[in-house]
Amino acid sequence: MTKISLIGCGRWGTFLGWYAANYGKASEVYMYDIPTSPNFIELKNTRKNSYLSLSDNMFLFDSLDKVLDNDFIIISIGCQYFRGLCRELRVYDLKGKTFLLAMKGLEEPSGERMLEIMRSEIKQDIHVATLGGPGHVQDYMKGVPSAAVVDSDEEQTKETVINIMQSSLIRLYYGNDLIGNQIGAAMKNVIGVAAGILDGLEWYGLKGALMARAPIEVGRLIKHYGGNPMTAYGLSHLGDYEATLFSKNSHNRMFGERFARGEDFGKLAEGVPTLKAVKAVSDKYGIEMPISQALYQAIYEKGDIKNIIAGLFERSLKREFDC
C-alpha cells in the first residue's frame, strides 16, 4: 500500500481519489484544489459531493506543497489550466515522482497535448502517464465495471500506474500509442458534442453515421501528430463512444444537446475548447476534418445549425468508404 496525491477535486478527480483509496492500492490519498473552488469548499465542509462521500483515508489540503511529498500524483483539472499548474509545480523538487494525467483535451490555441505541455514546462526527471477510456462516476458508484487504457513513454511507468490503480471495477490495459491515445481521448469529447447536437435536433438516426465517420477524421489528426491512425478505434476513442455519445452523464453530449436547443449548459465540456484547438491545427496544416469544421461553424461562428449539420452528412455519405 502507498500514499498518493490528487490535484483537482472535480467530479472525475474526486472519484479517482476515492477509487484509489477504496479499490486501488492507496493507503492514504492527499487531495488538493484551489481553496476557493466550489468543489473543494463543498468537500471541506461536508466531506461529500453529489456522487460520493470521502472515505476516512482521504485528506484535504489547501496548499499545493503539502500534497507533493507523495511519489504518485494524479492530476485532473481543466485542460486549459494545465500549463499554469505546471508552472506552479516546476518550482518544487519533483525528481522521481510519477504523474497520472486524467484529463482529456488539447490546449487551445496551441493544440498541444497535456503530456507535451508537462514535459516542456517541467525540466525534471519525472515519470508521466495518461489515462483514457470510458466510464462515468455515476456508473462506477453503482458498481458498473468498465475498462481504460494507461499509456506512457516508459514501460515501467505504465506498470507502476496499473499496479496501483487496477481493480475489478476498472480493468486497465497497457497502451502502445501514447500520441494516439491522447489525441483519441481528446477528440472523443469533440465527437460527443456533435452527438449531443444530433440529440438536440432529434436527428438520432444520424448518430450511427457520425460514429462510422468520426474515427476516420480522428485518425487523420492522430497521424498528423505522429501516432497510429488505428488507435482511433481503441479504448481511448471509439471505445469511449457509449459513455460520451449516448450517456445522459456525458457533459460533452449534454452541452451539444443544450446548444442545439438554444440553452446554456453551464458546466465544463472539454470538447468545446478542444474544438478550437483542432480548428487551428487543421487549418494550419491542411488536415481534412469536416466534422470538426462543421462544429466550429455552428458553435463559434454561430452558423445555422440545421443547415450546417445537414450539409455535413450530405457531404459524408456520397460514398461510404471515401476517406
Side-chain angles (χ1 to χ4, degrees):
M1 302 293 280
T2 185
K3 296 180 181 179
I4 75 167
S5 295
L6 169 73
I7 298 174
C9 294
R11 68 168 182 171
W12 183 235
T14 301
F15 166 74
L16 288 176
W18 179 90
Y19 167 83
N22 291 275
Y23 279 83
K25 293 184 173 65
S27 58
E28 295 180 356
V29 176
Y30 295 177
M31 304 173 62
Y32 164 80
D33 209 328
I34 299 170
T36 56
S37 162
N39 295 320
F40 186 81
I41 292 171
E42 180 182 24
L43 290 172
K44 188 174 182 180
N45 289 340
T46 67
R47 289 193 60 81
K48 64 181 180 180
N49 59 21
S50 301
Y51 310 102
L52 57 84
S53 295
L54 302 184
S55 49
D56 292 340
N57 57 346
M58 300 175 72
F59 305 95
L60 298 168
F61 296 93
D62 58 9
S63 179
L64 184 57
D65 63 313
K66 292 181 180 178
V67 302
L68 295 178
D69 287 340
N70 297 328
D71 290 331
F72 185 88
I73 301 167
I74 301 170
I75 300 179
S76 180
I77 67 171
C79 292
Q80 308 312 316
Y81 303 101
F82 185 56
R83 189 180 295 275
L85 173 64
C86 288
R87 290 174 177 173
E88 290 185 61
L89 288 171
R90 68 187 181 187
V91 304
Y92 298 96
D93 181 9
L94 305 174
K95 184 178 180 181
K97 296 187 184 298
T98 297
F99 292 86
L100 175 61
L101 307 184
M103 306 91 73
K104 302 170 182 177
L106 298 175
E107 184 185 53
E108 65 93 1
S110 71
E112 289 192 39
R113 295 168 284 122
M114 297 300 104
L115 189 143
E116 186 179 18
I117 291 170
M118 193 167 206
R119 291 290 190 200
S120 67
E121 294 290 346
I122 300 176
K123 305 294 187 181
Q124 299 186 43
D125 182 18
I126 58 175
H127 312 288
V128 189
T130 63
L131 179 68
H136 287 295
V137 175
Q138 295 92 325
D139 294 331
Y140 283 133
M141 294 308 297
K142 295 176 183 176
V144 179
S146 190
V149 58
V150 173
D151 218 333
S152 174
D153 48 12
E154 301 170 323
E155 289 300 318
Q156 184 55 54
T157 299
K158 298 179 204 177
E159 188 78 23
T160 297
V161 171
I162 289 175
N163 283 342
I164 292 173
M165 302 294 286
Q166 180 79 278
S167 82
S168 58
L169 185 62
I170 305 180
R171 178 177 175 82
L172 296 175
Y173 288 83
Y174 291 83
N176 60 4
D177 181 10
L178 178 58
I179 292 173
N181 279 317
Q182 288 177 89
I183 300 301
M187 285 301 297
K188 65 92 183 179
N189 289 330
V190 173
I191 305 306
V193 173
I197 287 176
L198 294 178
D199 287 341
L201 295 174
E202 298 186 359
W203 290 359
Y204 314 114
L206 289 176
K207 287 177 83 170
L210 175 68
M211 293 170 63
R213 298 300 302 176
I216 298 172
E217 176 166 322
V218 173
R220 293 190 192 111
L221 190 64
I222 290 173
K223 184 178 180 179
H224 163 75
Y225 278 90
N228 182 352
M230 292 303 296
T231 302
Y233 297 89
L235 269 174
S236 68
H237 187 73
L238 182 61
D240 208 339
Y241 273 13
E242 191 281 330
T244 306
L245 275 63
F246 291 92
S247 173
K248 64 182 180 180
N249 299 320
S250 168
H251 280 187
N252 292 286
R253 191 206 63 78
M254 185 57 72
F255 172 90
E257 181 176 333
R258 296 275 181 88
F259 178 82
R261 293 175 177 171
E263 303 168 358
D264 290 331
F265 180 50
K267 296 180 181 179
L268 175 65
E270 286 283 14
V272 179
T274 293
L275 173 62
K276 207 169 187 179
V278 170
K279 175 68 160 56
V281 172
S282 61
D283 284 353
K284 182 177 180 179
Y285 296 100
I287 306 168
E288 188 180 7
M289 302 193 71
I291 298 170
S292 300
Q293 293 284 351
L295 283 179
Y296 189 91
Q297 289 175 5
I299 293 171
Y300 286 106
E301 296 178 351
K302 308 302 181 184
D304 184 288
I305 190 168
K306 287 188 175 181
N307 287 339
I308 290 169
I309 300 302
L312 169 66
F313 284 99
E314 287 171 4
R315 173 200 183 282
S316 295
L317 298 179
K318 290 177 182 176
R319 292 182 183 176
E320 182 179 5
F321 295 106
D322 280 353
C323 294

